[in-house]
Amino acid sequence: MASFENPWLLLLLLIVPPAIWLRHLWRGRAGLVALSFALAQGRQFRPPPSAWRVLAAITVVVFWLGVSLIIVSIAGPTNINRERVYLNRGLEIILLVDVSPSMAAQDVAGKNRLQQATETLNNFIAKRGSDGVGVVAFGTDASLQCPVTQDYATVRDRLGQLRPNMLGEGTSIGLGLAVAAVHFSPDRTRDKVVVLVSDGDNNAGEISPAAGIELLKNAGIRVYSVGLGSDREVYLEYAESETGRRISGTYKGVLDESLLRSVASSTGGKYFFAGNGLGLDSVLESIDSSEQVQSEVRLEVRKEPLAALFLVVGLGLILLDMGIRRLILRELA
Amino acid sequence: MTFQHPLVLWGLLGLIPVALLLYLEYHYATVKIPVLVAPDNRDRFGQRWVRRWSLSSVCFGLFYAAAIVALAGPVWGERYEEEERQGVDILLVLDVSKSMYVSDVPPNRLSRAREVLLGLVSDLQPARLGLLVLRGSANLVVPITEDRRTIEQALNHVETVGGTQPGTDLTAGLQVARRAFPATGNRYQLILLVTDGEDQGLTTIAVAQELGAAGLPVFCVGTGTAEGGVVPGSKGPPSRLEAVKLQAIAEASHGRYLDVLDFRAMNRLAEDIRAYQHERESRGYRLRPVSHEALVTGLALVFLFLSIAVRSLGRWQTQ
């Protein structure tokens, strides 16, 4: 929202019309040379319009526009943003995302499961205010991509860097759960949640899902698990992480719903099936409504001054007028 | 008086082309006045024109100069601004450029810097921490977080992260650091810069001033010695600690400067940061420098109108 620090100073704009009259219209002004011409055929002589006259008229407009902008800059134009500042701490959320090659399957044309999930998770992050959000990815290995933070731009950035097959060809849900568990804060007073998004079954890793569940349960962390995928053959394409070689083909995978359901129910969370990923939005909304923390918010007014911008443009226009008058029109005033 | 954007003052060099344009007008006058004005009035008219031209030109020059000074953001005086925050977010900004491998501080600057920071990570509970590394460009390795384990891991592997360009651009580093703090947080913010101060940035002090004005101090830890040492694998001149530059950054941002070899100060660093936080929490306000851009712009406008008035008032003719 635009505003002015000292709007009353805009009254200075009232000086502009008399100044225009003084500089350009007053017949007694300096710089005006009165030359008399005889009447030609009963009509007063008028010089024909020319490019010079048009240019002179333009410089008048340019100059006074510049002066007006400088006056506006004195009034202190400001862009006002009212930003929410959260006084309490919200949830701690870790997004636990499957990056096994099967996430490259395209249930929806032109977009693979991982892209679909990332897009929806970005919308989910956009609704956070006081919550901390982190990202853990898992394939055969699992690794923290972003620690729990309120720097949502970085979370989105790190989510965007996830690629199918970046952590190996397997699916190690147990290891993923364990890595997530150790990256929450030790603060026991805070609600902690894992949002697990996967399309497969546990087929790799040194930690079993049961051990992962145990770690989370002991730390009081709830898991909301989301199953992706379909029972039909779908097109799949991804790049090998080591060689960069493109691999494509058709894929028909198995989603171990019972495992995801068990992870969720054992930790006090819920399981959702999001099919081809399009249903993920409503699933995340359900998670949102299940995990509401009362936020204490204060609105802070942040002012972004725009005076320098007006002053630069105003000064530029005045110098432009000066340049045209001296270099092209060669005026003497 | 200080300036928010002191580099803009280079714009005063624009007075030279402005003066040339005004002189060009004088030159036209010497050619045209003898043609336009009758010989009887020529001298008197010429003198009047030169008087008006001189005065008007001086006024226009003053207008231009005042406008440039206004754009540089003149600042003097301070005003109170309420501040209600709790806790502190600290961004550790670590220089990992090649000069940090100089061994004038044994075993080398980077190892000593890492030691200091690893000590702070555990000492600064419950502050939230982040890690930004500088190697050519700035790279946010760990965003502001309570996850100390991740910060420690990142510090232990810091040689392998960062950009690929040589040198250190502290200007860009401090600008990226400013943006790395969560916008929705209700905490005090602080930058802890650990570097030898060899800087390729052009406007670092100006950026530090902006940070100070926004309530974001930079605590600088100078890593190196005045004698310096040769960068491994380089045949160039020795790399030295730029303590004066780092002191200026700290001063401009209302932070502090500490030398990594001052063991007493290093041991007190966490305590100093806590004391700084408590002081701000208990005070509940901060002093904000007052910009007088509008006042100087007003002055510029007065000179512009004077320049117009001098040229417009009074006739050419002496009838």
Side-chain angles (χ1 to χ4, degrees), chain A:
Chain A
M1 191 181 77
S3 178
F4 289 94
E5 295 275 345
N6 301 300
W8 57 273
L9 283 172
L10 289 173
L11 288 172
L12 286 172
L13 286 169
L14 293 174
I15 302 173
V16 172
I20 291 175
W21 176 80
L22 180 72
R23 193 182 190 211
H24 304 287
L25 303 173
W26 180 39
R27 294 183 68 84
R29 69 187 185 277
L32 182 74
V33 181
L35 300 171
S36 57
F37 288 89
L39 293 180
Q41 296 176 343
R43 280 193 280 178
Q44 194 177 351
F45 171 81
R46 282 189 188 282
S50 69
W52 298 109
R53 291 190 67 197
V54 173
L55 192 60
I58 289 172
T59 60
V60 171
V61 175
V62 163
F63 179 83
W64 289 106
L65 186 60
V67 172
S68 303
L69 287 176
I70 290 178
I71 292 174
V72 172
S73 87
I74 292 173
T78 311
N79 198 14
I80 293 181
N81 295 312
R82 287 189 170 78
E83 288 182 358
R84 286 163 164 251
V85 170
Y86 290 85
L87 305 178
N88 61 336
R89 303 198 302 175
L91 297 170
E92 279 187 41
I93 303 169
I94 286 189
L95 308 173
L96 180 55
V97 185
D98 186 348
V99 290
S100 62
S102 59
M103 287 295 280
Q106 297 182 6
D107 301 302
V108 180
K111 209 179 265 185
N112 65 35
R113 289 174 188 168
L114 184 58
Q115 287 167 330
Q116 192 77 45
T118 304
E119 216 168 83
T120 318
L121 289 171
N122 274 333
N123 295 338
F124 178 72
I125 293 164
K127 291 177 192 160
R128 306 297 100 202
S130 56
D131 301 334
V133 184
V135 180
V136 170
F138 67 94
T140 305
D141 293 320
S143 79
L144 179 80
Q145 302 296 311
C146 181
V148 175
T149 180
Q150 279 180 270
D151 181 355
Y152 303 131
T154 301
V155 181
R156 280 194 291 269
D157 184 44
R158 304 279 165 93
L159 257 183
Q161 289 170 11
L162 299 184
R163 297 283 176 269
N165 197 38
M166 65 184 272
L167 291 171
E169 294 190 343
T171 306
S172 176
I173 294 177
L175 187 58
L177 293 172
V179 170
V182 298
H183 283 290
F184 280 104
S185 73
D187 183 352
R188 289 218 157 242
T189 61
R190 294 181 71 184
D191 286 326
K192 293 162 195 165
V193 168
V194 169
V195 178
L196 163 62
V197 181
S198 177
D199 70 339
D201 60 348
N202 190 75
N203 57 21
E206 290 169 0
I207 296 180
S208 69
I213 291 170
E214 207 50 38
L215 274 172
L216 294 166
K217 263 170 71 178
N218 290 340
I221 301 162
R222 287 183 295 284
V223 179
Y224 289 87
S225 49
V226 184
L228 294 174
S230 61
D231 52 4
R232 62 191 176 86
E233 272 197 353
V234 288
Y235 177 71
L236 170 144
E237 184 183 326
Y238 66 92
E240 269 193 342
S241 53
E242 283 174 7
T243 60
R245 191 163 63 96
R246 306 292 304 175
I247 292 177
S248 61
T250 54
Y251 169 80
K252 186 177 179 184
V254 185
L255 169 66
D256 187 353
E257 281 195 277
S258 62
L259 172 62
L260 296 181
R261 196 170 276 127
S262 145
V263 171
S265 61
S266 315
T267 55
K270 283 182 193 163
Y271 168 70
F272 301 88
F273 178 68
N276 57 13
L278 293 173
L280 192 54
D281 241 337
S282 53
V283 166
L284 292 174
E285 269 175 32
S286 306
I287 295 173
D288 236 351
S289 53
S290 311
E291 293 289 345
Q292 285 285 334
V293 170
Q294 199 66 37
S295 292
E296 290 173 41
V297 180
R298 186 179 65 217
L299 277 181
E300 265 188 13
V301 176
R302 303 224 165 119
K303 293 178 176 178
E304 184 195 348
L306 302 172
L309 179 69
F310 280 79
L311 181 53
V312 164
V313 178
L315 181 62
L317 290 176
I318 288 170
L319 293 176
L320 179 68
D321 161 80
M322 187 193 187
I324 294 174
R325 284 176 185 275
R326 302 296 183 284
L327 294 173
I328 301 172
L329 298 177
R330 299 188 176 192
E331 272 189 4
L332 285 186

Side-chain angles (χ1 to χ4, degrees), chain A residues 29-31 34 71 86-87 89 144 148-150 158 182-183 190 298 300 308 312 326-327 330 333, chain B residues 24-25 28 32 49 84-85 128 140-141 144-147 149-150 184 186 293 311-312 314 316-317:
Chain A
R29 69 187 185 277
I71 292 174
Y86 290 85
L87 305 178
R89 303 198 302 175
L144 179 80
V148 175
T149 180
Q150 279 180 270
R158 304 279 165 93
V182 298
H183 283 290
R190 294 181 71 184
R298 186 179 65 217
E300 265 188 13
V312 164
R326 302 296 183 284
L327 294 173
R330 299 188 176 192
Chain B
L24 204 60
E25 187 183 19
Y28 296 149
K32 287 182 182 174
W49 187 89
E84 272 183 67
R85 299 189 184 277
R128 298 193 305 191
L140 183 65
V141 181
I144 297 286
T145 181
E146 288 171 54
D147 187 350
R149 192 190 308 262
T150 303
T184 56
N186 185 43
E293 189 181 323
R311 281 186 180 254
S312 302
W316 274 27
Q317 295 93 334

Side-chain angles (χ1 to χ4, degrees), chain B residues 50-106:
Chain B
V50 169
R51 262 205 309 275
R52 220 166 19 227
W53 171 82
S54 313
L55 197 54
S56 160
S57 299
V58 168
C59 287
F60 192 86
L62 288 171
F63 152 73
Y64 178 82
I68 293 295
V69 171
L71 279 173
V75 165
W76 66 85
E78 288 176 318
R79 67 178 157 81
Y80 290 100
E81 192 172 271
E82 266 189 42
E83 199 177 45
E84 272 183 67
R85 299 189 184 277
Q86 285 292 322
V88 64
D89 287 341
I90 302 171
L91 189 68
L92 312 175
V93 180
L94 177 60
D95 182 355
V96 292
S97 62
K98 278 187 177 170
S99 62
M100 288 295 280
Y101 289 89
V102 172
S103 53
D104 56 347
V105 178

